[in-house]
């Protein structure tokens, strides 16, 4: 996707949320586009790999700031509401073609609750899927403005790296696991000064969450030590620029995240 297309997608999504955008934090693969487009040096090359899904993080409790809930705003903006399973409440998504690209919105929330940790929850008219370790991503955010003038919030790069390192082993799809590992490498190494600042903040976050850090380091180290030549080839293939190589991946992560 070209940068102007990405800007249109992000801008239209934020506009579609109406006043609820104040409580939505963009995570997942689209966070990488936001870092590259609005927060890092725009002259840097090697844009991130494209994605059609916008993971939208929302706290479990939000105030009622509008008589129209989030689902109503999205429906009025032309998004189609889809159910993805038969859970109660069912997992759902919202789909719309924006600038020639079919974009899918899913909502996620934290699983920091005593009961029903893995049960979908209704929040402001939408169904959010609970996800482990998401609290940090909801609390550690950066505000940004699109070129079209829409404002939003994105997961901080340090929290993004932390969350992916904690959860990539739980991916049901191996292709998504490789995308997560690619994303860790991309955010940590490919955004110049922005990446350097993210690693400084990662150190600070890891000091606040030492047990999480142990899990993070163990999982990433275990994967690197056990990965087959085929696994490394699949990981390298995630980066169309060809900059991601096994030796560089190992070196950069050991120095910056696993030491």
């Amino acid at each position: 996707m070209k940068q102007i297309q990405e800007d249109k997608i992000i801008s239209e999504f934020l506009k579609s949320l109406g006043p609820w955008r104040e409580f939505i934090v963009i995570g997942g693969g689209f966070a990488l586009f936001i870092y590259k487009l609005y927060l890092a040096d725009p002259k840097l090359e090697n844009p991130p790999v494209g994605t059609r899904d916008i993971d939208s993080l929302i706290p479990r409790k939000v105030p009622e700031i509008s008589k129209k809930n989030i689902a109503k705003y999205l429906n009025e903006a032309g998004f189609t509401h889809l159910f993805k399973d038969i859970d109660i409440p069912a997992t759902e998504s919202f789909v719309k073609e924006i600038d020639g690209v079919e974009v899918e919105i899913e909502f996620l929330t934290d699983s920091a609750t005593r009961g029903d940790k893995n049960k979908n929850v209704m929040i402001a008219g939408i169904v959010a899927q609970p996800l482990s370790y998401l609290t940090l991503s909801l609390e550690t955010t950066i505000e940004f403005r699109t070129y079209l003038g829409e404002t939003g919030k994105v997961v901080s790069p340090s929290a993004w790296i932390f969350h992916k390192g904690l959860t990539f082993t739980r991916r049901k799809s191996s292709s998504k696991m490789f995308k997560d590992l690619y994303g860790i490498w991309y955010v940590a190494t490919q955004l110049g000064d922005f990446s350097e600042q993210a690693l400084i903040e990662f150190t600070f976050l890891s000091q606040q969450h030492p047990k999480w850090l142990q899990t993070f380091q163990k999982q990433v180290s275990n994967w690197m030590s056990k990965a087959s030549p085929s696994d490394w080839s699949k990981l390298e293939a995630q980066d169309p620029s060809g900059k991601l190589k096994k030796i560089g991946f190992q070196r950069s992560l050991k120095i910056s995240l696993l030491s």
Side-chain angles (χ1 to χ4, degrees):
M1 291 188 294
K2 299 178 180 179
Q3 291 193 3
I4 188 170
Q5 187 179 59
E6 296 150 6
D7 184 61
K8 286 181 179 178
I9 291 171
I10 296 165
S11 299
E12 186 159 341
F13 167 61
L14 291 170
K15 186 176 181 180
S16 300
L17 291 170
W20 295 102
R21 78 172 72 183
E22 179 182 347
F23 303 104
I24 302 299
V25 180
I26 296 177
F30 249 94
L32 275 58
F33 286 110
I34 292 170
Y35 301 152
K36 177 68 175 64
L37 283 172
Y38 315 120
L39 300 171
D41 184 345
K43 294 189 291 291
L44 289 170
E45 297 180 356
N46 193 17
V49 175
T51 178
R52 296 180 177 183
D53 303 333
I54 301 180
D55 290 342
S56 304
L57 318 184
I58 185 170
R60 281 183 168 262
K61 293 183 179 181
V62 295
E64 187 177 349
I65 59 170
S66 172
K67 291 182 178 180
K68 290 191 296 184
N69 61 30
I70 297 173
K72 182 69 171 176
Y73 272 98
L74 291 174
N75 288 334
E76 290 182 352
F79 283 87
T80 300
H81 184 200
L82 302 175
F83 294 104
K84 307 189 76 171
D85 55 35
I86 56 173
D87 290 347
I88 302 175
T91 303
E92 63 183 17
S93 66
F94 294 83
V95 177
K96 181 181 180 180
E97 185 175 302
I98 302 175
D99 202 39
V101 177
E102 185 176 82
V103 178
E104 182 174 11
I105 313 299
E106 289 191 349
F107 290 89
L108 307 171
T109 191
D110 67 83
S111 61
T113 180
R114 292 185 178 181
D116 294 328
K117 286 181 176 293
N118 299 315
K119 185 177 180 180
N120 291 342
V121 57
M122 181 72 74
I123 305 172
I126 54 88
V127 174
Q129 304 167 58
L131 206 59
S132 300
Y133 301 110
L134 205 67
T135 306
L136 193 62
S137 298
L138 284 164
E139 294 175 347
T140 315
T141 65
I142 300 177
E143 294 186 359
F144 67 92
R145 179 182 294 273
T146 70
Y147 299 132
L148 292 175
E150 302 295 336
T151 57
K153 295 179 181 178
V154 64
V155 176
S156 75
S158 54
W160 194 97
I161 291 171
F162 215 157
H163 187 262
K164 291 301 183 183
L166 289 166
T167 60
F168 77 96
T169 57
R170 303 183 183 190
R171 287 292 209 176
K172 296 178 181 178
S173 163
S174 61
S175 63
K176 290 186 177 181
M177 182 191 70
F178 288 119
K179 282 184 171 60
D180 287 349
L181 289 167
Y182 156 80
I184 292 172
W185 167 83
Y186 184 88
V187 177
T189 66
Q190 297 300 296
L191 295 171
D193 292 342
F194 186 79
S195 289
E196 292 182 13
Q197 184 60 36
L199 295 178
I200 293 172
E201 292 174 2
F202 178 85
T203 300
F204 176 72
L205 287 180
S206 65
Q207 290 172 348
Q208 293 181 309
H209 302 276
K211 290 185 178 179
W212 287 11
L213 177 64
Q214 288 178 1
T215 301
F216 177 102
Q217 293 177 326
K218 180 180 179 181
Q219 292 186 164
V220 177
S221 295
N222 283 349
W223 186 88
M224 290 196 297
S225 65
K226 296 178 181 179
S228 67
S230 175
D231 290 333
W232 283 111
S233 295
K234 290 175 182 176
L235 177 57
E236 291 175 353
Q238 299 300 310
D239 179 26
S241 75
K243 293 182 179 180
L244 173 52
K245 300 296 182 184
K246 174 182 176 180
I247 295 176
F249 182 92
Q250 290 175 319
R251 183 185 300 120
S252 62
L253 265 67
K254 284 180 179 178
I255 292 173
S256 58
L257 301 172
L258 304 180
S259 57

